[in-house]
């Protein structure tokens, strides 16, 4: 292996074209054998279904080097399962779970030189994506699809430590009740772009979306689930009664870490905006940042400040962060099946 020379600490969260990608096409009712290719472009018909009716789903996971020099991924089986669920909801042919895992291995091995070194804070981001390439004019599912995985090295999410952010309660909705909020589809992001640009213009880092039905309960942000720590130091995790929160793998892992490693009680239930001021800590969780601490919520000018403040992560979220990243990096023994070795 001859690792690429890059300024790992400063590459940012951006697309860098790497050498190889995995591609499989679905045609005549079946996925082809799949192959590794150098072609980073996609040529398709002007009438491809993805361009008109947004038949597209994706995933996001990371590969990284552990302290002892292995290249691993974290719970990729859950990404494979979630992508099957996402595909079914959009009437796309699911890419089989075992083939997803094999494709992740192939593409990471083919780009091993791009895996950032242990300790750099950078990781190799893995982006599986699946979209309709077949022709459609009338509204119906296409009959041809492409499944593709590419990888790109990404820098440390927090340069110089994780500073708490300020988020706003959004007047836009992210996901309809019983709609597509629980799948990982580009369509959920297209309609969030105006909301996030608006929030940034107003000086907020993120939007917190309420449930679209009653505008009473906390759901999630545009791309991360939410966790709270209550006055007793236990974890409170918002649950949707309209099934419109994306099932984050990071959040599900944090729940297990809280219970099994830290002995915390975990309450997964609908959480009202009106009770949030009683909580001590808040965090946003997802693959990219693991946990981002939130110092304050702005609810239409009313500031809800958490006891953890604006300088550092609260103590419970810090422990969760240290334990989960310790498991991922191999310092702390992982539950069976969580860390998947590729090289
Ligand atoms: C991907 C995503 C998350 C985070 O999920 P992880 O599996 O933890 O990366 C949270 N919310 C939304 C809307 C997402 O798309």
């Amino acid at each position: 292996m001859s690792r690429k020379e890059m300024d790992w600490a400063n590459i940012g969260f951006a697309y860098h074209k790497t050498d190889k990608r995995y591609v499989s096409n679905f045609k005549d009712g079946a996925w082809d054998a799949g192959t590794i290719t150098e072609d980073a472009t996609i040529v398709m018909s002007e009438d491809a279904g993805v361009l008109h009716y947004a038949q597209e789903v994706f995933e996001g996971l990371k590969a990284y080097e552990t302290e002892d020099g292995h290249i691993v991924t974290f719970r990729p089986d859950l990404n494979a399962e979630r992508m099957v669920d996402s595909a079914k909801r959009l009437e796309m042919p699911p890419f089989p779970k075992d083939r997803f895992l094999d494709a992740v291995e192939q593409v990471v091995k083919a780009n091993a030189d791009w895996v950032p070194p242990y300790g750099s804070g950078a990781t190799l981001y893995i982006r599986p994506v699946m979209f309709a390439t077949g022709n459609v004019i009338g509204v119906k599912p296409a009959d041809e699809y492409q499944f593709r995985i590419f990888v790109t090295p990404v820098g440390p999410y927090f340069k110089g430590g994780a500073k708490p952010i300020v988020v706003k309660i959004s007047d836009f909705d992210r996901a309809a009740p019983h709609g597509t909020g629980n799948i990982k589809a580009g369509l959920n992001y297209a309609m969030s772009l105006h909301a996030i640009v608006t929030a940034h213009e107003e000086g907020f880092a993120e939007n917190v979306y309420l449930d679209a039905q009653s505008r009473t309960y906390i759901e999630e942000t545009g791309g991360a689930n939410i966790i709270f720590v209550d006055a007793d130091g236990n974890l409170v995790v918002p649950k949707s009664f309209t099934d419109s929160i994306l099932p984050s793998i990071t959040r599900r892992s944090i729940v297990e870490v809280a219970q099994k490693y830290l002995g915390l009680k975990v309450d997964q239930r609908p959480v009202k905006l009106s009770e949030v001021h009683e909580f001590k800590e808040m965090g946003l969780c997802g693959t990219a940042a693991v946990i981002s601490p939130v110092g304050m919520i702005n609810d239409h000018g009313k500031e809800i400040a958490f006891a953890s403040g604006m300088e550092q992560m609260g103590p419970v979220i810090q422990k969760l962060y240290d334990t989960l990243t310790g498991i991922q990096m191999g310092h702390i023994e992982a539950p069976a099946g969580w860390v998947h070795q590729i090289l």
Side-chain angles (χ1 to χ4, degrees):
M1 169 166 152
S2 62
R3 189 161 2 230
K4 304 286 173 185
E5 296 280 338
M6 292 190 83
D7 182 8
W8 300 109
N10 294 303
I11 52 177
F13 202 90
Y15 174 73
H16 293 264
K17 193 171 127 192
T18 52
D19 297 326
K20 308 276 175 65
R21 57 276 303 134
Y22 178 92
V23 175
S24 176
N25 290 301
F26 183 91
K27 200 178 169 175
D28 299 328
W31 289 105
D32 69 17
T35 184
I36 292 284
T37 165
E38 291 186 358
D39 191 354
T41 62
I42 296 158
V43 176
M44 60 186 173
S45 165
E46 62 190 358
D47 193 34
V50 63
L51 300 177
H52 303 274
Y53 306 127
Q55 250 191 319
E56 184 265 3
V57 297
F58 68 99
E59 272 301 325
L61 64 162
K62 288 172 176 174
Y64 37 84
E65 190 178 60
T66 57
E67 195 168 13
D68 53 3
H70 290 296
I71 295 173
V72 303
T73 53
F74 183 70
R75 308 190 77 179
D77 52 315
L78 298 188
N79 296 96
E81 280 166 17
R82 190 168 63 189
M83 201 170 192
V84 167
D85 294 340
S86 299
K88 284 182 179 164
R89 180 66 174 79
L90 296 191
E91 288 294 334
M92 304 166 82
F95 197 70
K97 187 178 158 182
D98 56 329
R99 289 204 52 199
F100 178 104
L101 296 172
D102 175 59
V104 167
E105 292 213 2
Q106 285 193 43
V107 75
V108 171
K109 280 180 182 159
N111 293 287
D113 292 348
W114 293 93
V115 178
Y118 171 78
S120 66
T123 53
L124 190 72
Y125 187 75
I126 305 168
R127 169 52 57 92
V129 59
M130 194 174 128
F131 47 91
T133 51
N135 295 327
V136 292
I137 274 289
V139 178
K140 65 175 173 65
D143 51 16
E144 293 180 12
Y145 295 86
Q146 181 168 114
F147 172 88
R148 173 179 286 255
I149 305 181
F150 65 86
V151 298
T152 179
V154 291
Y157 201 81
F158 300 116
K159 273 204 283 177
K163 279 271 178 189
I165 56 174
V166 181
V167 297
K168 72 168 282 187
I169 300 294
S170 183
D171 290 322
F172 297 104
D173 292 320
R174 189 189 84 89
H178 312 291
T180 54
N182 60 351
I183 62 165
K184 213 165 175 72
L187 56 87
N188 289 327
Y189 281 80
M191 35 61 65
S192 77
L193 296 176
H194 177 60
I196 193 68
V197 169
T198 305
H200 286 170
E201 281 168 2
E202 294 168 358
F204 301 107
E206 271 293 351
N207 284 300
V208 170
Y209 294 102
L210 301 177
D211 77 285
Q213 185 169 305
S214 72
R215 288 280 175 112
T216 305
Y217 294 93
I218 299 280
E219 292 216 316
E220 61 172 319
T221 68
N225 281 185
I226 295 174
I227 55 173
F228 294 104
V229 177
D230 71 13
D232 299 322
N234 292 313
L235 200 64
V236 179
V237 180
K239 190 168 154 179
S240 169
F241 51 86
T242 53
D243 206 12
S244 36
I245 296 179
L246 194 279
S248 157
I249 294 164
T250 313
R251 183 254 298 165
R252 286 181 273 164
S253 303
I254 287 169
V255 164
E256 288 193 52
V257 165
Q259 289 168 327
K260 294 179 187 155
Y261 286 71
L262 303 181
L264 304 182
K265 271 195 247 150
V266 180
D267 205 2
Q268 305 195 64
R269 60 170 173 85
V271 172
K272 285 188 170 146
L273 171 61
S274 62
E275 63 177 300
V276 159
H277 68 275
E278 294 166 15
F279 296 143
K280 297 293 178 219
E281 302 178 37
M282 173 174 174
L284 309 182
C285 42
T287 294
V290 186
I291 310 178
S292 319
V294 175
M296 187 185 285
I297 299 181
N298 188 301
D299 174 16
H300 301 88
K302 195 178 92 196
E303 293 184 334
I304 305 168
F306 294 100
S308 48
M310 292 304 302
E311 286 307 314
Q312 59 202 12
M313 281 192 184
V316 176
I317 284 184
Q318 183 76 57
K319 258 188 241 160
L320 288 165
Y321 179 89
D322 291 344
T323 310
L324 183 56
T325 54
I327 288 169
Q328 292 176 332
M329 292 294 163
H331 307 148
I332 298 173
E333 195 177 339
W338 279 26
V339 175
H340 179 81
Q341 190 175 314
I342 291 183
L343 280 173

